[in-house]
C-alpha cells in the first residue's frame, strides 16, 4: 500500500514540514507516553490519533476528549489604541466586545482574501489577544506589525503558551471538579482566569468541534501536569486524549472552516458564507473595499455542504461537476463517524448552491452523485 | 516496535499485503497486513475491480480508504480476479478487525504461480516492518 494523497494532509498549504526540524509542544512527552501517533502538522510534531479517529470522535460527541492545540499562536495587543486598531484589522465588531468575552473574526488582505480566521479575546479593558492558526502565525505577526499604529504594544506569545481543548458534554463537569472556585467557569464565548488543578489558566468557553467545551490557555511549564490531571479526573466520565484527526472530522461535521482548505488568501468571507462575522462594509476595515467590489461578480462561488448520495468519499481537491462540466472543487471531505454518511465542503457557483441541488464528485475518474445540504451536517 | 501479527504461513509484499496460496493450486487469497491496517486506521471504504478482471503484478487494482487517507492497493501477482470480498461493502471495518480472516480482499487465479517465490516470507516481512516502524 502506498499513502496516496491525503494522508493526514490537513496541514494548511505552504507547509513543508519535512524540510526543517519539527517543533514540539510542551506536551510532547505526554503524547509519547499515551501512545499518540505523531505526524508533522503545521511545522509541529502533533498527535493525529491515540487509538482511533472514530473512537475519539465519538468520545467528544458523547463524553469528552482532550486535545493539545498548543501549535496555535497567540498575539497580544495592549494599549489605548488597541480597540481602534483591532477594529481596522478584523471583520468582526471589536468595540462591542466586553471584557472577558471572545469573538470569532477574519483578518483580510487588501484583495479581501482571508489572511487568517481568528478568535479575538478581550482579557482586560485595554488588553486583547488573537488566537491564530499555527500555519499563519508568522504571516499574521508580520501583517499586524506592518500595519501597527502608535499606542498599541504587540507581543507574540505563541511559543510561551500551551493550549488545551477539553471538548464534549462532560467537559464542564470535569473542569468544575478541578476548579479552585475563586471565579466561576466561563459560559460559552466568555473567558475567565481560573485555577484548575492548581494551575493558573485562562479558561475560554470556546472550541472547534461543534460540541460544548473549553479551551484552556496555560504557561508551558504547567501544561504537562495539567494535561495529566484533566485526563485522570475525567477518566470516570470517559474522557480520553483525542488527536488532530478527530478534531478535523468533528469540525467538518460542524461545518467549521479550516484555514488552508475552506479559507485562504484568495477566499472572501462572502464566498465562505461567513458574512455573519463581518461588520457593515462601510465601517472600513482592511479589505472591506475589495469585498464590496467583489460583490459585483456575476456568478461568484459559494461554499456549500455536500452529502454523498452515491457510494464513495469526497476528499479535498476532488473536482465537482454538473451536467458534464467541472464547476467546483471539494475543500474537505470525510466519512462522518457519528452521522453514518460521507460529508464534504466545497466551492460551487452560487447558481448551483441551493440546498437540494444535485451535483457529482469526480472520484478516480468516476462521477459519483452528491447533494447540496444544509450545514452543520445532520 | 509495536507487536504486529505476522503469520508464518503467509507470504508478503513490500506494500504490506499478504498472500495465501490455496494448497497446491494456482489460486491465492490476498489481504492487507496487521501493520497496514494499523497504519491506515479506521477503514471506511474499499473499492475493487469486478470478478473476471485481470490484475498485473505491481499495478494498482483497487483503493482502500481510512477516515483520513486514500491508498492504492497493488496487485502482488498477475492473474484473474476470481472473487472479491463483498462483505467489505457494508462492513469495511472487517479489515481492521480481522485482516487475515474475514477482512480478506480478493481471490486471484495467478497466471504464473512461480511469481509467488519473489514475495517475502514472514521473517523478511518482519524485518521490513521493523525498519519502518519507529
Amino acid at each position: 500500500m502506498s499513502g496516496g494523497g491525503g494522508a493526514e494532509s490537513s496541514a494548511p498549504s505552504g507547509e513543508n514540514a519535512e524540510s526543517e526540524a519539527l517543533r514540539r509542544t510542551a506536551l510532547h512527552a505526554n503524547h509519547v507516553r499515551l501512545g499518540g501517533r505523531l505526524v508533522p502538522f503545521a511545522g509541529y510534531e502533533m498527535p493525529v490519533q491515540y487509538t482511533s479517529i472514530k473512537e475519539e470522535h465519538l468520545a467528544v460527541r458523547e463524553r469528552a476528549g482532550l486535545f493539545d492545540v498548543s501549535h496555535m499562536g497567540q498575539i497580544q495587543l495592549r494599549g489605548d489604541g488597541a480597540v481602534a486598531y483591532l477594529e481596522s484589522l478584523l471583520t468582526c465588531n471589536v468595540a462591542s466586545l466586553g471584557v472577558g468575552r471572545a469573538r470569532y473574526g477574519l483578518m483580510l488582505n487588501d484583495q479581501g482574501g482571508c489572511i487568517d480566521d481568528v478568535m479575538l479575546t478581550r482579557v482586560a479593558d485595554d488588553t486583547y489577544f488573537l488566537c491564530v492558526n499555527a500555519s499563519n502565525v508568522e504571516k499574521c505577526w508580520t501583517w499586524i506589525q506592518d500595519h501597527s499604529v502608535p499606542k498599541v504594544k504587540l507581543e507574540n506569545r505563541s511559543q510561551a503558551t500551551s493550549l488545551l481543548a477539553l471538548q464534549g458534554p462532560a467537559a464542564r463537569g470535569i473542569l468544575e471538579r478541578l476548579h479552585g472556585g475563586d471565579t466561576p467557569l466561563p459560559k460559552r464565548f466568555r473567558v475567565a482566569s481560573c485555577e484548575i488543578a492548581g494551575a493558573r489558566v485562562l479558561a475560554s468557553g470556546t472550541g472547534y468541534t461543534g460540541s460544548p467545551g473549553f479551551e484552556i490557555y496555560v504557561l508551558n511549564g504547567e501544561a504537562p501536569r495539567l494535561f495529566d490531571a484533566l485526563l485522570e479526573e475525567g477518566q470516570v466520565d470517559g474522557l480520553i486524549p483525542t488527536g488532530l484527526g478527530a478534531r478535523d472530522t468533528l469540525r467538518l461535521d460542524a461545518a467549521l472552516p479550516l484555514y488552508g482548505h475552506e479559507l485562504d488568501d484568495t477566499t472572501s468571507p462572502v464566498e465562505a458564507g461567513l458574512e455573519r462575522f463581518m461588520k457593515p462594509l462601510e465601517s472600513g476595515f482592511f479589505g472591506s473595499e475589495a469585498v464590496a467590489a467583489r460583490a459585483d461578480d456575476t456568478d461568484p462561488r459559494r461554499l456549500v455542504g455536500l452529502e454523498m448520495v452515491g457510494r464513495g468519499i469526497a476528499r479535498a481537491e476532488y473536482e465537482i461537476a454538473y451536467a458534464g462540466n467541472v464547476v467546483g472543487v471539494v475543500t474537505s471531505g470525510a466519512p462522518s463517524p457519528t452521522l453514518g454518511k460521507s460529508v464534504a465542503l466545497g466551492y460551487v457557483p452560487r447558481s448551483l448552491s441551493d440546498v437540494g441541488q444535485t451535483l457529482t464528485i469526480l472520484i478516480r475518474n468516476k462521477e459519483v452523485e452528491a447533494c447540496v445540504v444544509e450545514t452543520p451536517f445532520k | 516496535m509495536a507487536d504486529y501479527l505476522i503469520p508464518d504461513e503467509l507470504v508478503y509484499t513490500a506494500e504490506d499485503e499478504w498472500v495465501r496460496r490455496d494448497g497446491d493450486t494456482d489460486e491465492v487469497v490476498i489481504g492487507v497486513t496487521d501493520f497496514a491496517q494499523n497504519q491506515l486506521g479506521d477503514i471506511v471504504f474499499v473499492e475493487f475491480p469486478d470478478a473476471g478482471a485481470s490484475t498485473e503484478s505491481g499495478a494498482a487494482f483497487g483503493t482502500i480508504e481510512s477516515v483520513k487517507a486514500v491508498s492504492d492497493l497493488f496487485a502482488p501477482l498477475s492473474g484473474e480476479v476470481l472473487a472479491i470480498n463483498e462483505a467489505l461493502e457494508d462492513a469495511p471495518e472487517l479489515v481492521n478487525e480481522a485482516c487475515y480472516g474475514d477482512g480478506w480482499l480478493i481471490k486471484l487465479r495467478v497466471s504464473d504461480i512461480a511469481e509467488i517465490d519473489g514475495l517475502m516470507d514472514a521473517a523478511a516481512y518482519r524485518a521490513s516492518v521493523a525498519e519502518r516502524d519507529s
Side-chain angles (χ1 to χ4, degrees):
Chain A
M1 217 153 2
S2 78
E8 285 114 26
S9 69
S10 288
S13 54
E15 295 305 310
N16 192 358
E18 305 294 338
S19 65
E20 48 191 287
L22 293 172
R23 287 176 174 165
R24 292 174 170 184
T25 72
L27 295 165
H28 185 267
N30 301 59
H31 303 318
V32 170
R33 185 157 31 84
L34 290 163
R37 180 175 298 166
L38 299 167
V39 300
F41 185 91
Y44 282 81
E45 204 179 353
M46 297 299 289
V48 65
Q49 65 174 60
Y50 298 85
T51 52
S52 129
I53 293 174
K54 268 189 189 173
E55 202 174 294
E56 293 166 25
H57 179 116
L58 287 170
V60 171
R61 285 283 181 262
E62 292 166 4
R63 306 184 305 275
L66 183 61
F67 300 88
D68 174 15
V69 286
S70 303
H71 56 313
M72 307 276 294
Q74 290 81 33
I75 295 171
Q76 184 178 275
L77 304 96
R78 178 174 218 156
D80 292 343
V83 180
Y85 177 51
L86 281 162
E87 204 75 86
S88 68
L89 200 64
L90 299 176
T91 59
C92 62
N93 196 309
V94 178
S96 66
L97 185 70
V99 174
R101 291 180 185 249
R103 184 171 285 169
Y104 177 81
L106 300 147
M107 205 155 71
L108 304 186
N109 57 31
D110 295 331
Q111 291 75 47
C114 294
I115 296 169
D116 200 8
D117 62 334
V118 301
M119 188 65 78
L120 173 69
T121 300
R122 187 175 190 181
V123 283
D125 210 39
D126 68 342
T127 310
Y128 295 82
F129 75 89
L130 292 169
C131 186
V132 305
N133 279 297
S135 54
N136 290 335
V137 175
E138 293 312 316
K139 186 174 63 164
C140 289
W141 180 236
T142 302
W143 177 266
I144 289 170
Q145 283 181 311
D146 286 355
H147 294 79
S148 67
V149 295
K151 291 194 211 167
V152 182
K153 194 168 169 280
L154 305 173
E155 194 185 344
N156 185 348
R157 302 171 69 139
S158 305
Q159 295 304 313
T161 314
S162 290
L163 179 57
L164 279 52
L166 180 66
Q167 302 279 299
R172 180 172 288 272
I174 295 164
L175 218 51
E176 289 284 4
R177 300 201 299 272
L178 288 170
H179 180 217
D182 45 354
T183 47
L185 287 177
K187 296 177 182 164
R188 206 165 128 74
F189 284 100
R190 299 195 183 204
V191 301
S193 174
C194 298
E195 195 185 293
I196 304 290
R200 180 50 56 182
V201 308
L202 184 76
S204 175
T206 51
Y208 187 56
T209 59
S211 286
F214 297 88
E215 292 177 303
I216 304 165
Y217 298 91
V218 61
L219 288 174
N220 287 345
E222 306 214 76
R225 201 183 49 78
L226 178 62
F227 193 81
D228 286 343
L230 287 165
L231 283 179
E232 195 185 328
E233 182 64 38
Q235 203 169 11
V236 290
D237 306 82
L239 170 68
I240 56 171
T242 41
L244 296 186
R247 187 170 154 88
D248 192 36
T249 54
L250 288 158
R251 71 90 197 168
L252 175 59
D253 279 6
L256 299 170
L258 173 61
Y259 198 92
H261 286 240
E262 285 70 42
L263 303 176
D264 62 29
D265 290 298
T266 70
T267 329
S268 88
V270 177
E271 294 170 325
L274 299 173
E275 297 98 325
R276 63 190 183 284
F277 303 106
M278 196 165 65
K279 294 170 276 207
L281 294 175
E282 308 80 69
S283 26
F285 49 90
F286 295 142
S288 57
E289 285 176 17
V291 172
R294 286 165 73 164
D296 299 334
D297 292 356
T298 48
D299 195 9
R301 59 184 190 153
R302 182 84 190 177
L303 188 68
V304 293
L306 296 160
E307 188 179 309
M308 295 308 296
V309 178
R311 202 171 163 266
I313 300 165
R315 303 277 185 180
E317 295 176 23
Y318 287 6
E319 289 174 323
I320 303 173
Y322 178 72
N325 297 311
V326 172
V327 293
V329 65
V330 174
T331 49
S332 296
S336 164
T338 29
L339 303 177
K341 55 192 172 194
S342 210
V343 297
L345 293 170
Y347 281 101
V348 298
R350 188 183 285 269
S351 54
L352 295 171
S353 68
D354 288 342
V355 167
Q357 174 72 49
T358 296
L359 299 162
T360 59
I361 312 291
L362 296 177
I363 304 179
R364 294 180 285 277
N365 301 321
K366 268 192 296 193
E367 287 195 52
V368 183
E369 197 178 328
C371 185
V372 176
V373 296
E374 284 187 42
T375 55
F377 297 103
K378 288 187 191 77
Chain B
M1 165 182 163
D3 204 8
Y4 301 109
L5 197 58
I6 300 173
D8 284 335
E9 67 275 21
L10 306 178
V11 288
Y12 300 88
T13 71
E15 288 82 29
D16 302 299
E17 283 150 335
W18 56 262
V19 175
R20 178 189 292 128
R21 187 173 177 186
D22 186 6
D24 287 335
T25 69
D26 54 2
E27 294 180 15
V28 298
V29 180
I30 291 161
V32 298
T33 65
D34 188 33
F35 175 68
Q37 70 80 20
N38 186 283
Q39 292 292 305
L40 287 164
D42 303 305
I43 305 296
V44 291
F45 189 84
V46 189
E47 196 170 58
F48 295 128
D50 295 327
S54 57
T55 63
E56 191 187 328
S57 168
F61 71 89
T63 315
I64 189 162
E65 299 195 37
S66 65
V67 175
K68 291 283 281 179
V70 182
S71 304
D72 284 328
L73 292 165
F74 293 101
L77 302 162
S78 302
E80 179 197 344
V81 178
L82 292 178
I84 58 171
N85 186 354
E86 286 171 5
L88 299 182
E89 182 163 337
D90 292 326
E93 64 275 12
L94 285 173
V95 177
N96 295 116
E97 291 163 6
C99 64
Y100 298 111
D102 291 344
W104 63 276
L105 300 177
I106 57 169
K107 276 181 193 158
L108 284 188
R109 172 173 295 122
V110 299
S111 14
D112 176 10
I113 197 65
E115 264 189 13
I116 207 165
D117 297 332
L119 302 181
M120 282 182 263
D121 65 11
Y125 181 63
R126 217 166 272 136
S128 152
V129 168
E131 214 166 85
R132 289 174 290 155
D133 187 42
S134 49

